[in-house]
Amino acid sequence: MFGSLIVFFTCYFKMEVATAVLAWAISSTCRSLSASNSLWGICPRQDIAAELNARLSPGAEIFLPGSSGFSQATNRWSVRDAPDFNIVVVPSVENDVAEIVKYANSQDISYLAVNGGHGAITTVGKLQGGIQIWLDKLNSVEIADDGKTAKFGGGVLSKTITDALWAQGKQTVSGGCECTSLLGPGLGGGHGFLQGRHGLISDQFVSMNIVLASGDLQTIDETSDLWWAMGGAGHNFGIVTSVTSKIYDIQYPDWAYASFIFTGDKVEGLYGAINEYLLKNGTQPVDIINYSFFFNEPSIDPKKPLIMFFILQEGVKTVNPAYTEVFENLGPLATDGAGGSYPDLPAWTGLSNDAIPCQKPGLVYTRFPIDLQTYNIAAQRKVYDMFASATQQTPALNGSLFLFEGYSLQGVKAIPSDQSAFPFRDNNLLLAPTISYMPGPPELHAAAVDLGESLRQVLHEASGREELHAYVNYALGSETEKNWYGYDEWRQARLKALKEKYDPLGKFSFYAPITLT
Ligand SMILES: Cc1cc2nc3c(=O)[nH]c(=O)nc-3n(C[C@H](O)[C@H](O)[C@H](O)COP(=O)(O)OP(=O)(O)OC[C@H]3O[C@@H](n4cnc5c(N)ncnc54)[C@H](O)[C@@H]3O)c2cc1C
Ligand SMILES: *[C@@H]1O[C@H](CO)[C@@H](O)[C@H](O)[C@H]1NC(C)=O
Ligand SMILES: *[C@@H]1O[C@H](CO)[C@@H](O)[C@H](O)[C@H]1NC(C)=O
Ligand SMILES: *[C@@H]1O[C@H](CO)[C@@H](O)[C@H](O)[C@H]1NC(C)=O
């Protein structure tokens, strides 16, 4: 039942590659488009497209504005602060990416790798007039003969990975959402349902092919000085055209979930019980994941948000009553549950291809993430009340959610923190107000940012920490580099030195950029 509450959109947006749209031949579009930089100014899109086309493999595609391929490729999850592209190039072999980067460098044109299109950090909006390198065709999955690793194309999406591996009795850590890529999340660390067993997405990387800012296509592994940075700050250093990652035999095919809907009077009871019975000060059992969010559903309660709470358990057909009883005793409005297998998890949690988060309906989504150790009950009450009154006062924001993610942690904590650029292995929880709305007047955006920042501020103050830890892949964009990459001086220095060495001109400085001073 809960599933159907969230998953009521059908799959109207299918990521099919538009075929045979060599839109560069259409000359009329060019004249009607405004120039964003001098190079595009004399209407040279067709020339650029033709020059690129000559350098690329036969399977590569080029889309110009006005074509359906262009619209499909540039459609994004969040429409605000979106990058603006003059041309989309779809490489079909890894070396195409190198050719595009070399060509763009020679012409002084900006570029950005785009994968699932769910990157919503405002910094990407600084790219105005450039080339979108859409990795959609680099979507291969090749399992090694020994069954211990697989080579994934740089544009492979989560569901492709899950399904291809599952068919061979294998699995690996990927993001929970079917429509996000492996590398979008993975280059920032990457959380997933299997992290309690195996660590972050980036902890699985064994080697990768990467196109550097110079346009060189190199294979790197742990022997490269760049390797450390790729597991947490990787978006800053190149375009990964393929990655070889660890994969595992499926040990626990079964999973089950129990879900509960609570009314707002249960905030203290719910988060207190989560702290006490599930989180246990960061020692949550390895087979348990919990996940909750505040949301409005006026047909159930027109005045107050509800709380949706999930417990996911690995290796069972029903969630162990030892975990669910305390939540049932709190008096939920509704409960649900089912058993199935690992590939069912996205559908259960509202993250499958046909669910709302995988659609791109032209909304603005802004997130205000904060990583924490534990729930502060008084702060949970305060943010609930704030979320309730703000979404009542400004109905345009009432589709917003407030996410509370409690993945299992053992695999993440088992890896020493200094081993990669991902800085926040000691945190237990990912919290993020996700404020969404139809694009509107500036006051609406200001209200959205004010709400998100205020909610985050309450949680931050209640944490008693000076440091604000903000998962880079959920970040708004206004945070500091310390918020994204950690406060340790050595981390900041190491990242800057690598940036200076590998990308001194900031070619890859649109997504959560490391700046050189
Ligand atoms: C519905 C939803 C569910 C999510 N679930 C999870 C989750 O389970 N775990 C998690 O950790 N995060 C999750 N996130 C956050 C997610 O990590 C980011 O939104 C991420 O940017 C999505 O990747 P993408 O490929 O869809 O986005 P894109 O916008 O295509 O990519 C984001 C950025 O990554 C870079 N990039 C992408 N591919 C490459 C590449 N091959 N080489 C170099 N750079 C590259 C580019 O800079 C690009 O701007 C989720 C987000 C949403 C919206
Ligand atoms: C929780 O864990 C932290 C760090 O692991 C420890 O310092 C603290 O004492 C623990 N608190 C409780 C109540 O067990
Ligand atoms: C949001 O507000 C509008 C206008 O008041 C209302 O029609 C809609 O049902 C509300 N939606 C939610 C999810 O609260
Ligand atoms: C969820 O898991 C996290 C991480 O282990 C834990 O800190 C949190 O208390 C749990 N919360 C819920 C709602 O179960």
Side-chain angles (χ1 to χ4, degrees), residues 261-275 292-295 304-309 327 330-332 375-388 402 404 459:
I261 293 180
F262 292 103
T263 45
D265 56 314
K266 301 299 192 312
V267 164
E268 289 83 359
L270 174 61
Y271 291 95
I274 290 170
N275 273 345
S292 64
F293 54 89
F294 301 159
F295 69 109
K304 293 277 186 185
L306 300 168
I307 310 162
M308 178 92 201
F309 171 56
F327 299 100
L330 285 175
Y375 292 114
N376 177 303
I377 306 305
Q380 290 297 108
R381 164 55 61 194
K382 208 165 163 189
V383 294
Y384 175 87
D385 289 343
M386 252 167 129
F387 184 81
F402 197 144
F404 305 94
L459 296 173

Side-chain angles (χ1 to χ4, degrees), residues 228-229 233 236-237 480-482 485 488-504 513-517:
W228 174 86
N236 265 278
F237 294 98
T480 67
E481 288 171 52
K482 287 181 173 171
Y485 299 119
D488 304 315
E489 290 301 329
W490 69 268
R491 285 186 184 277
Q492 293 292 329
R494 190 163 175 181
L495 286 173
K496 283 188 198 301
L498 287 166
K499 188 74 175 174
E500 181 75 51
K501 175 172 173 188
Y502 286 97
D503 186 23
I514 294 160
T515 53
L516 298 173
T517 43

Side-chain angles (χ1 to χ4, degrees), residues 243-324:
V243 62
T244 297
S245 286
K246 291 179 205 163
I247 61 171
Y248 305 91
D249 292 334
I250 299 167
Q251 271 191 310
Y252 308 97
D254 293 344
W255 278 78
Y257 79 97
S259 62
F260 308 81
I261 293 180
F262 292 103
T263 45
D265 56 314
K266 301 299 192 312
V267 164
E268 289 83 359
L270 174 61
Y271 291 95
I274 290 170
N275 273 345
E276 188 172 351
Y277 298 101
L278 294 180
L279 188 53
K280 293 188 187 162
N281 197 22
T283 62
Q284 171 158 304
V286 67
D287 58 347
I288 289 281
I289 291 169
N290 65 79
Y291 173 59
S292 64
F293 54 89
F294 301 159
F295 69 109
N296 283 292
E297 181 45 63
S299 68
I300 302 179
D301 189 335
K303 291 267 174 243
K304 293 277 186 185
L306 300 168
I307 310 162
M308 178 92 201
F309 171 56
F310 289 93
I311 302 177
L312 305 168
Q313 188 174 11
E314 183 192 56
V316 295
K317 296 198 188 303
T318 14
V319 176
N320 187 333
Y323 295 122
T324 54

Side-chain angles (χ1 to χ4, degrees), residues 14 37 53 139 147 165 172 273 313 319-320 424 450 458 509:
K14 256 196 152 173
N37 71 31
N53 196 49
N139 62 357
L165 295 184
T172 191
Q313 188 174 11
V319 176
N320 187 333
F424 301 138
D450 184 54
V458 168
S509 289

Side-chain angles (χ1 to χ4, degrees), residues 19-276:
T19 49
V21 188
L22 275 181
W24 56 271
I26 305 164
S27 62
S28 60
T29 37
C30 158
R31 257 168 264 131
S32 62
L33 291 160
S34 67
S36 304
N37 71 31
S38 60
L39 226 128
W40 304 100
I42 40 170
C43 199
R45 280 185 181 76
Q46 284 76 2
D47 300 351
I48 288 175
E51 285 186 24
L52 269 166
N53 196 49
R55 289 167 163 80
L56 303 180
S57 65
E61 287 186 276
I62 295 176
F63 299 124
L64 290 189
S67 66
S68 62
F70 186 90
S71 312
Q72 186 186 25
T74 54
N75 202 3
R76 299 179 69 79
W77 179 62
S78 177
V79 299
R80 198 183 157 91
D81 295 305
D84 173 66
F85 298 106
N86 285 328
I87 188 169
V88 171
V89 185
V90 193
S92 83
V93 298
E94 296 186 48
N95 191 58
D96 284 341
V97 178
E99 291 299 327
I100 299 163
V101 166
K102 276 184 226 161
Y103 175 78
N105 286 345
S106 75
Q107 305 293 316
D108 202 18
I109 299 173
S110 305
Y111 43 87
L112 182 71
V114 173
N115 222 318
H118 280 67
I121 191 163
T122 57
T123 53
V124 293
K126 299 215 169 98
L127 195 162
Q128 291 295 313
I131 299 176
Q132 168 170 326
I133 304 177
W134 193 28
L135 300 172
D136 190 59
K137 289 189 169 196
L138 301 180
N139 62 357
S140 58
V141 176
E142 296 162 37
I143 299 176
D145 289 342
D146 68 5
K148 295 197 160 117
T149 61
K151 184 175 178 186
F152 299 111
V156 73
L157 302 182
S158 282
K159 184 171 169 56
T160 309
I161 292 175
T162 299
D163 290 352
L165 295 184
W166 190 260
Q168 303 298 322
K170 302 284 180 186
Q171 57 186 180
T172 191
V173 188
S174 56
C177 189
E178 289 184 342
C179 58
T180 52
S181 64
L182 181 70
L183 284 153
L187 294 174
H191 295 283
F193 295 125
L194 295 175
Q195 69 170 48
R197 294 283 170 198
H198 308 298
L200 299 168
I201 295 175
S202 59
D203 295 333
Q204 316 314 314
F205 296 166
V206 176
S207 72
M208 59 177 62
N209 288 348
I210 180 171
V211 174
L212 299 170
S214 59
D216 287 342
L217 174 56
Q218 291 191 1
T219 302
I220 62 166
D221 60 17
E222 62 180 6
T223 62
S224 163
D225 58 351
L226 192 51
W227 190 249
W228 174 86
M230 296 312 291
H235 315 90
N236 265 278
F237 294 98
I239 300 176
V240 179
T241 55
S242 66
V243 62
T244 297
S245 286
K246 291 179 205 163
I247 61 171
Y248 305 91
D249 292 334
I250 299 167
Q251 271 191 310
Y252 308 97
D254 293 344
W255 278 78
Y257 79 97
S259 62
F260 308 81
I261 293 180
F262 292 103
T263 45
D265 56 314
K266 301 299 192 312
V267 164
E268 289 83 359
L270 174 61
Y271 291 95
I274 290 170
N275 273 345
E276 188 172 351

Side-chain angles (χ1 to χ4, degrees), residues 280-283 373 413 426 428:
K280 293 188 187 162
N281 197 22
T283 62
Q373 297 299 111
K413 294 189 188 244
D426 56 333
N428 301 328

